[in-house]
């Protein structure tokens, strides 16, 4: 369940950086996740679909790398 909090943080950081650059849309996010973390990529992707709705990141593709 901690993936929800992690995903919320990812969204907040992405939006903050996009706004600093006057971006109108976020299309892709490239995430590097440590191999020893317990974060489940599919869970982050699942939550992303819901929490990014209504933001400039809606529909952005998440790219995971371990």
């Amino acid at each position: 369940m901690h993936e929800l909090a992690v995903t919320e943080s990812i969204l907040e950081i992405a939006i903050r950086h996009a706004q600093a650059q006057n971006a109108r849309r976020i299309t892709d996010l490239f995430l590097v996740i440590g191999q020893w973390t317990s974060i489940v990529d599919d869970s982050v992707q699942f939550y992303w679909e819901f929490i990014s709705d209504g933001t400039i990141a809606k529909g952005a593709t998440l790219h995971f790398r371990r």
Side-chain angles (χ1 to χ4, degrees), residues 13-52:
I13 292 166
I15 290 174
R16 183 169 16 107
H17 284 277
Q19 289 173 337
Q21 298 298 317
N22 297 316
R24 290 184 273 156
R25 187 157 183 242
I26 298 171
T27 58
D28 293 272
L29 284 171
F30 295 84
L31 306 168
V32 178
I33 300 172
Q35 68 181 22
W36 299 111
T37 65
S38 60
I39 295 173
V40 178
D41 300 0
D42 288 340
S43 293
V44 173
Q45 183 68 55
F46 173 80
Y47 288 125
W48 182 262
E49 300 302 320
F50 294 103
I51 67 168
S52 66

